[in-house]
Amino acid sequence: MTTTPRAPKPAPHRFAADWAGRHCLDSQAGPYNAGSGFEPLPPPTGKQPFRLDLAKIIPDAVAAMKKSGGMCLHVVGDTGGVLDPRPQELVAAGLVADSAIAGPYGKPAFFYHLGDVVYFDGQADRYYPQFYLPYDYYPNPIIAIPGNHDGDRYDNGRLVETVPSLAAFVRNFCAAGPGIHTPEAMDAPRTAMIQPNVYFTLKTPFATFIGLYTNVPEGGEVKPDQRDWFAGELRAAPADKPVIVAMHHPIHSLDAYHSGSRTMAAVLAEAEAASGRQAHMVLAGHVHNYQRFTVTDAARGARPFIVAGFGGYHNLHRMMRIGGQDIVPPFTAPNDPNVVLENFVDDRFGFLRLDIDTETISINTYTVPRPQEPYRNPPRLRDTVTLDWKNRRLIA
């Protein structure tokens, strides 16, 4: 199958905007605001409270995790190579190479995708070139939350996708049962994932992943029913495991185009207040680069907020500048001394590898070669940190 992409949606210029009094929680501050209006969510394919046990997908790997005392996985978002497939192909090759490397708890067992699987408007015919074909040699299951482009149906006000929002995403990630080979997969052997809903909780032996769907509008939008569910899942999460929240729109970002989202900050704060529980780590995409923040609460310790939207969409987002100068980490946000940008990568594509055990989460960030560089170069470690999740402190 061949597809001819239409002209891209307006993209930001490749210069870095200055601070000019902005905040890392200013979702409308940048020059790029591609979000359309809120799209109704599709009906769930599973039963409330929308939980998926990893053992239903990879029972042998879960048994091996329990035996080894830990688990390993890949994480990244914003992968669809709609206009230039090379960055996505390079990241996919890096994921394949890394999937063969055994760490303290074995090889990575699955890939958690942070949204924007396909561009630009969730079309079914984009799933083969942007999802199934690039990961043809990736050996592990891929689990995903949708991004704004997965749910969008409009291009500059023009209706592009006439079926309901997320129809193709649901067909390929929320199948009613295992072993379903969708029309979008064509000759690829990968079958549809069995997630119970577009927002759901993934239960694993060593962590609880709560995945939100933050919809299409810039900055995200989450309705009361999902907010209530979120608080309930935080409350119900086992206390002897870390809670990792995944959302497409980031709460904190110092990029020059999107910035972070006050809306999503409020969603998290509301759920944590209602549940009496605090997430140990927050993962997001949407911004096409890598950023790692430490957010410190005097009463509840430190936790990482990570932007990992450098998974293959060709247009990387540069970081903003301060007084005409580039940001040099560690950088404390002028508007919030409790938020520190510890590291970032805005000039290369890559992925995360997480190792999780009963006490710690090790976060390793890798970048892959640029398209003009030798393809044989292995992924390069660019950032690493360990979270002592039990004591809520970071170990450099």
Side-chain angles (χ1 to χ4, degrees), residues 215-305:
N215 217 282
V216 176
E218 185 63 15
E221 185 173 351
V222 178
K223 296 296 187 183
D225 56 344
Q226 187 180 174
R227 290 180 182 231
D228 291 342
W229 170 87
F230 182 24
E233 290 302 275
L234 277 175
R235 188 182 302 111
D240 61 345
K241 299 175 185 178
V243 177
I244 300 173
V245 170
M247 56 178 67
H248 184 66
H249 292 87
I251 290 175
H252 299 288
S253 178
L254 290 174
D255 71 290
Y257 311 108
H258 287 300
S259 297
S261 170
R262 294 182 186 274
T263 299
M264 297 317 302
V267 167
L268 179 65
E270 176 188 274
E272 290 183 334
S275 66
R277 298 284 300 278
Q278 185 185 49
H280 294 85
M281 182 166 69
V282 180
L283 300 169
H286 194 53
V287 175
H288 300 159
N289 63 26
Y290 166 76
Q291 301 172 66
R292 176 169 63 85
F293 293 86
T294 297
V295 178
T296 304
D297 183 306
R300 295 184 290 185
R303 53 178 171 169
F305 283 66

Side-chain angles (χ1 to χ4, degrees), residues 250-396:
I251 290 175
H252 299 288
S253 178
L254 290 174
D255 71 290
Y257 311 108
H258 287 300
S259 297
S261 170
R262 294 182 186 274
T263 299
M264 297 317 302
V267 167
L268 179 65
E270 176 188 274
E272 290 183 334
S275 66
R277 298 284 300 278
Q278 185 185 49
H280 294 85
M281 182 166 69
V282 180
L283 300 169
H286 194 53
V287 175
H288 300 159
N289 63 26
Y290 166 76
Q291 301 172 66
R292 176 169 63 85
F293 293 86
T294 297
V295 178
T296 304
D297 183 306
R300 295 184 290 185
R303 53 178 171 169
F305 283 66
I306 294 176
V307 178
F310 62 152
Y313 180 74
H314 74 285
N315 187 22
L316 287 168
H317 290 160
R318 298 296 187 184
M319 299 293 282
M320 65 172 62
R321 309 185 81 192
I322 310 297
Q325 300 296 315
D326 292 336
I327 291 175
V328 177
F331 175 79
T332 301
N335 305 86
D336 192 342
N338 296 318
V339 178
V340 177
L341 175 67
E342 305 283 6
N343 209 342
F344 70 84
V345 177
D346 67 350
D347 62 347
R348 288 177 182 266
F349 301 91
F351 59 90
L352 307 184
R353 175 173 172 144
L354 273 55
D355 289 283
I356 307 174
D357 61 26
T358 56
E359 297 183 351
T360 63
I361 303 175
S362 295
I363 307 159
N364 293 301
T365 303
Y366 292 89
T367 58
V368 298
R370 295 187 178 98
Q372 65 268 29
E373 295 174 344
Y375 191 81
R376 63 181 179 274
N377 288 355
R380 173 188 170 193
L381 182 64
R382 292 291 295 271
D383 187 31
T384 183
V385 70
T386 297
L387 171 67
D388 173 357
W389 64 265
K390 280 193 170 181
N391 297 302
R392 295 187 179 272
R393 63 187 184 95
L394 292 166
I395 307 168

Side-chain angles (χ1 to χ4, degrees), residues 33-320:
N33 184 355
S36 299
F38 181 89
E39 288 282 356
L41 274 61
T45 55
K47 297 180 180 179
Q48 292 188 8
F50 312 131
R51 295 172 185 165
L52 174 62
D53 193 330
L54 187 64
K56 290 186 177 181
I57 305 170
I58 43 174
D60 292 344
V62 167
M65 292 173 189
K66 293 177 179 178
K67 185 175 181 180
S68 69
M71 62 183 285
C72 181
L73 67 143
H74 288 133
V75 176
V76 78
D78 302 83
T79 58
V82 61
L83 296 179
D84 182 355
R86 293 175 298 171
Q88 182 181 19
E89 290 169 353
L90 288 165
V91 173
L95 288 166
V96 170
D98 194 68
S99 67
I101 298 174
Y105 307 118
K107 301 173 183 178
F110 65 99
F111 170 8
Y112 196 110
H113 197 296
L114 298 173
D116 282 357
V117 178
V118 300
Y119 291 83
F120 291 103
D121 303 296
Q123 298 99 317
D125 64 358
R126 302 293 170 89
Y127 271 80
Y128 183 75
Q130 295 185 46
F131 178 69
Y132 286 101
L133 186 61
Y135 304 117
D136 200 21
Y137 293 101
Y138 183 71
N140 301 323
I142 301 176
I143 295 164
I145 54 171
N148 60 298
H149 284 281
D150 298 314
D152 199 1
R153 298 189 303 137
Y154 290 85
D155 177 35
N156 292 328
R158 179 175 63 90
L159 182 65
V160 173
E161 188 70 352
T162 57
V163 300
S165 176
L166 292 176
F169 182 93
V170 168
R171 190 160 54 248
N172 289 278
F173 285 99
C174 303
I180 295 176
H181 190 269
T182 69
E184 289 80 14
M186 299 182 68
D187 60 353
R190 187 178 298 277
T191 56
M193 187 44 62
I194 56 171
Q195 298 163 196
N197 198 3
V198 296
Y199 58 87
F200 67 102
T201 296
L202 178 67
K203 299 166 57 181
T204 79
F206 295 95
T208 301
F209 293 81
I210 303 177
L212 303 179
Y213 173 46
T214 57
N215 217 282
V216 176
E218 185 63 15
E221 185 173 351
V222 178
K223 296 296 187 183
D225 56 344
Q226 187 180 174
R227 290 180 182 231
D228 291 342
W229 170 87
F230 182 24
E233 290 302 275
L234 277 175
R235 188 182 302 111
D240 61 345
K241 299 175 185 178
V243 177
I244 300 173
V245 170
M247 56 178 67
H248 184 66
H249 292 87
I251 290 175
H252 299 288
S253 178
L254 290 174
D255 71 290
Y257 311 108
H258 287 300
S259 297
S261 170
R262 294 182 186 274
T263 299
M264 297 317 302
V267 167
L268 179 65
E270 176 188 274
E272 290 183 334
S275 66
R277 298 284 300 278
Q278 185 185 49
H280 294 85
M281 182 166 69
V282 180
L283 300 169
H286 194 53
V287 175
H288 300 159
N289 63 26
Y290 166 76
Q291 301 172 66
R292 176 169 63 85
F293 293 86
T294 297
V295 178
T296 304
D297 183 306
R300 295 184 290 185
R303 53 178 171 169
F305 283 66
I306 294 176
V307 178
F310 62 152
Y313 180 74
H314 74 285
N315 187 22
L316 287 168
H317 290 160
R318 298 296 187 184
M319 299 293 282
M320 65 172 62

